[in-house]
Amino acid sequence: MDIETLQTELMAAIESADTLEALEAVRVSALGKQGSVSALLKTMGGMSPEERQTQGPIINGLRESITSALTAKKADLETAELNRRLATERVDMTLPAPDAPRGTIHPVSQVMDELAEIFADMGFAVAEGPEIEDDWHNFTALNIPETHPARAMHDTFYFPDDMARDGQKMVLRTHTSPVQIRTMTSQEPPIRIIAPGRVYRSDSDATHTPMFHQIEGLVIDKGIHLGHLKWTLETFLKAYFEREDVVLRLRPSYFPFTEPSVEVDVGYSVINGKRVIGGSEGWMEVLGSGMVHRKVIEACGLDPDVWQGFAFGTGVDRLAMLKYGMDDLRAFFDGDNRWLQHYGFNALDVPTLSGGVGA
Ligand code: PHE
């Protein structure tokens, strides 16, 4: 076959190749080891110098034109392939983002954050203590001796005797009050702390769960009196319920670790058959509090004639129920995703006083 015919045939084959694979087959048939153009190139070795002078440029010219035709066709096929993909593989940027599972902040966590924010604004730090507590911190130092009836009242979970530490029986703390003791024995007054955390009592019904949450408050300084306590609680409850018409009622009460002791009620109004905090149509108990007992201050190694203070404790879960309207405490701990989606908070709703603590 003469060179011209070969060129015409190869050019036609290149032109009609409609896939990259077909084009590659043409390339191999021409320029591959056994290819027709390669075979021609090999014949140049056996040519006389004169023959090579005339045939060389023709054969090389054939190789060049076939090579550039292959390159051009390859680019065409690649562009066509890209255009085909662009036309078919379409992403519609106007579609909404697909649903991704999203968790929520548990109301207990949210309320604890709200309380920390409110009390930080009044100069309170956050303190912590262990949930597995010894008898002395949970009871004795709080003026609840072994024989005291308050021990029975607390429905305590005791650890077995062989788990005693330093001769102290261990318990799951029944309240956050032992954090008062831990704070007074580890830092110098003046003290202003809140201590939120888990507490445990062997009790279970619609309004009691064996584990629940309390928040403790403690102020120790010179010349502290009941007026400071009342102002602090009133300021706190108004900020927490985000209403100016929150009314407090202080009732005489009894706790072994405070003297005098006061129980604090908040007034509510009935609107459409529902109780709403504010006003004074009825009263709900929300807090236990009082002036820290001399014996407690003494047990912590402080002089009660120099240092006085007040303490309060309340249920965080109950505060959450009153503000956000849940009616069964047990649901707090069921882990039911529908409840969590309904009552939970967006992780970006970080409580701030300026934004309204409830966000
Ligand atoms: N610890 C008490 C309770 O659990 C609440 C309380 C705390 C009362 C501090 C007075 C002072 O009921």
Side-chain angles (χ1 to χ4, degrees), residues 87-285:
T88 53
E89 295 175 19
R90 192 172 298 177
V91 176
D92 185 347
M93 303 301 279
T94 65
L95 285 175
D99 257 352
R102 206 184 306 137
T104 60
I105 303 293
H106 195 284
V108 169
S109 301
Q110 185 78 8
V111 167
M112 282 185 174
D113 288 349
E114 291 180 20
L115 298 175
E117 170 73 9
I118 291 167
F119 280 103
D121 193 54
M122 294 194 267
F124 285 66
V126 174
E128 285 187 315
E131 289 170 30
I132 298 175
E133 190 52 282
D134 62 56
D135 190 279
W136 189 79
H137 285 93
N138 196 80
F139 294 123
T140 311
L142 287 161
N143 193 32
I144 315 176
E146 201 123 4
T147 53
H148 201 285
R151 291 218 182 183
M153 253 164 55
H154 275 201
D155 307 305
T156 311
F157 287 111
Y158 284 97
F159 282 89
D161 284 340
D162 60 3
M163 290 180 72
R165 224 185 276 161
D166 301 327
Q168 286 288 320
K169 212 171 162 58
M170 303 304 283
V171 303
L172 285 175
R173 68 178 178 191
T174 56
H175 50 178
T176 43
S177 299
V179 185
Q180 290 186 35
I181 306 302
R182 291 195 173 270
T183 308
M184 281 189 272
T185 52
S186 67
Q187 69 192 59
E188 295 285 316
I191 289 167
R192 268 187 280 185
I193 56 111
I194 53 164
R198 294 195 175 98
V199 300
Y200 302 82
R201 289 181 201 179
S202 177
D203 207 347
S204 190
D205 59 36
T207 53
H208 297 87
T209 48
M211 186 282 294
F212 58 104
H213 300 83
Q214 282 192 337
I215 185 164
E216 193 83 4
L218 174 70
V219 167
I220 300 286
D221 206 334
K222 291 175 180 166
I224 298 293
H225 54 72
L226 262 182
H228 294 122
L229 170 63
K230 189 178 182 196
W231 179 88
T232 304
L233 294 180
E234 199 172 289
T235 305
F236 145 50
L237 290 167
K238 282 181 175 172
Y240 176 69
F241 287 110
E242 296 173 58
R243 318 178 54 116
E244 270 304 308
D245 62 349
V246 171
V247 187
L248 303 197
R249 191 171 72 170
L250 271 54
R251 269 184 299 114
S253 181
Y254 173 75
F255 298 102
F257 34 92
T258 46
E259 180 59 35
S261 300
V262 279
E263 229 144 17
V264 180
D265 299 339
V266 290
Y268 61 81
S269 315
V270 181
I271 296 169
N272 298 330
K274 280 195 119 188
R275 290 179 178 187
V276 176
I277 300 291
S280 55
E281 266 179 70
W283 301 95
M284 267 188 272
E285 185 193 320

Side-chain angles (χ1 to χ4, degrees), residues 4 8 40 53 60 66 69 106 125 129-130 138 153 158 166 215 231 255 275 305 308 312-313 325 327:
E4 215 168 300
T8 312
L40 276 173
Q53 214 155 40
N60 276 321
I66 296 302
H106 195 284
N138 196 80
M153 253 164 55
Y158 284 97
D166 301 327
I215 185 164
W231 179 88
F255 298 102
R275 290 179 178 187
D305 289 325
Q308 303 81 41
F312 58 87
D327 53 15

